[in-house]
Amino acid sequence: MTRASLDKQPHEVASMFDGVAEKYDLTNDVLSLGQARLWRKEAAKAVAARPGHTVLDLAAGTATSSLPYAATGAYVVPCDFSLGMLREGKKRHPWLPLTAGDATRLPFKDDVFDTVTISFGLRNVQDTDAALRELYRVTKPGGQVVISEFSQPTWAPFRTVYTEYLMRALPPVARAVSSNPDAYVYLAESIREWPDQPALAELLQKAGWGKVAWRNLSGGIVALHRGVKVQ
């Protein structure tokens, strides 16, 4: 099976996720020690979906992250560029409008969504700046972006322990529960190389988003960034 390299060639990343689709949600729960469910709940609170709202859930994978938005009565579009993930999601949630799409060239018109959100997928996009501009383009004026992504723990001693877990403990655990453990070596490396909280906030501002702020979860292992399309 494929493992992507850190230059994040789209075909490599898509193929890698195709190969882990069936057990992806289970593996995430195990590797995060159950924290993945908490992070999804916090992202859902930040999105604050409600009836009549349109939500783009980018990098939705099997659409597990989309279910809380659909449950509110909002119209949610789960979007991903891994066809394997989308096929698995369609088997589980056939009523959802799962859509194939690349974050840097979204198949939607301008000013369509009240909220655009992406959870644990932005760091897998080859061109982060282009993705943030595309998210901005498809969001209605006054709409928001919510990004849930791995980040940098704020307490230095814990940051060291966390990095050791990623690079040493995560691969053997992945071998026990995943169909493609090499994919999780890539994921660990991509987390380590990802910008910290202020740096991602700066990228959002550069892409045009206003009122940018973030909130740390689990001591900064994950950060929730938010921004508003002010024009």
Side-chain angles (χ1 to χ4, degrees), residues 9 30 35 55 58 62 72 82 91 96-97 141 143 147 149 155 159 178 192 201 207 210 213 222-223 226:
Q9 293 296 320
V30 172
Q35 292 294 293
V55 178
L58 191 57
T62 61
T72 69
S82 165
K91 285 193 290 186
L96 289 174
I147 299 170
E149 188 54 270
W155 188 44
R159 188 160 57 241
S178 172
R192 189 174 61 176
V222 168
R226 301 175 70 177

Side-chain angles (χ1 to χ4, degrees), residues 39 120 149-167 188 190-198 214-225:
W39 299 333
F120 308 107
E149 188 54 270
F150 291 109
S151 199
Q152 297 295 322
T154 54
W155 188 44
F158 176 59
R159 188 160 57 241
T160 301
V161 171
Y162 172 66
T163 303
E164 289 293 308
Y165 168 73
L166 281 177
M167 301 314 299
S190 69
I191 292 167
R192 189 174 61 176
E193 296 296 319
W194 183 245
D196 64 10
Q197 292 89 325
W214 74 83
R215 180 164 64 91
N216 290 316
L217 304 177
S218 302
I221 289 177
V222 168
L224 271 177
H225 281 71

Side-chain angles (χ1 to χ4, degrees), residues 9-75:
Q9 293 296 320
H11 67 281
E12 289 183 355
V13 178
S15 179
M16 183 186 72
F17 280 105
D18 289 347
V20 299
E22 186 177 355
K23 294 184 177 180
Y24 183 73
D25 294 320
L26 170 64
T27 305
N28 281 351
D29 280 340
V30 172
L31 293 178
S32 70
L33 307 178
Q35 292 294 293
R37 297 185 183 193
L38 167 67
W39 299 333
R40 282 197 296 269
K41 286 180 181 178
E42 292 302 318
K45 288 180 187 176
V47 169
R50 57 185 185 271
H53 266 217
T54 50
V55 178
L56 172 62
D57 186 15
L58 191 57
T62 61
T64 298
S65 59
S66 304
L67 297 178
Y69 312 133
T72 69
Y75 180 75

Side-chain angles (χ1 to χ4, degrees), residues 35-210:
Q35 292 294 293
R37 297 185 183 193
L38 167 67
W39 299 333
R40 282 197 296 269
K41 286 180 181 178
E42 292 302 318
K45 288 180 187 176
V47 169
R50 57 185 185 271
H53 266 217
T54 50
V55 178
L56 172 62
D57 186 15
L58 191 57
T62 61
T64 298
S65 59
S66 304
L67 297 178
Y69 312 133
T72 69
Y75 180 75
V76 57
V77 178
C79 183
D80 203 287
F81 73 164
S82 165
L83 297 181
M85 285 285 197
L86 292 171
R87 290 189 191 102
E88 187 65 27
K90 200 65 178 176
K91 285 193 290 186
R92 300 179 190 181
H93 319 297
W95 63 91
L96 289 174
L98 287 95
T99 303
D102 184 330
T104 63
R105 295 184 301 275
L106 292 171
F108 307 108
K109 295 181 179 179
D110 297 355
D111 306 331
V112 173
F113 297 99
D114 294 292
T115 297
V116 293
T117 182
I118 179 169
S119 294
F120 308 107
L122 187 60
R123 75 181 191 287
N124 298 318
V125 177
Q126 187 176 37
D127 189 338
T128 305
D129 292 332
L132 293 176
R133 289 194 300 269
E134 272 292 89
L135 289 172
Y136 187 88
R137 179 185 67 79
V138 302
T139 303
K140 295 177 182 178
Q144 66 168 345
V145 64
V146 175
I147 299 170
S148 183
E149 188 54 270
F150 291 109
S151 199
Q152 297 295 322
T154 54
W155 188 44
F158 176 59
R159 188 160 57 241
T160 301
V161 171
Y162 172 66
T163 303
E164 289 293 308
Y165 168 73
L166 281 177
M167 301 314 299
R168 295 190 182 184
L170 189 148
V173 173
R175 277 194 291 273
V177 295
S178 172
S179 56
N180 184 10
D182 283 346
Y184 289 87
V185 176
Y186 156 80
L187 292 172
E189 292 172 350
S190 69
I191 292 167
R192 189 174 61 176
E193 296 296 319
W194 183 245
D196 64 10
Q197 292 89 325
L200 180 54
E202 187 174 338
L203 291 178
L204 278 159
Q205 291 167 336
K206 179 182 173 185
W209 295 97

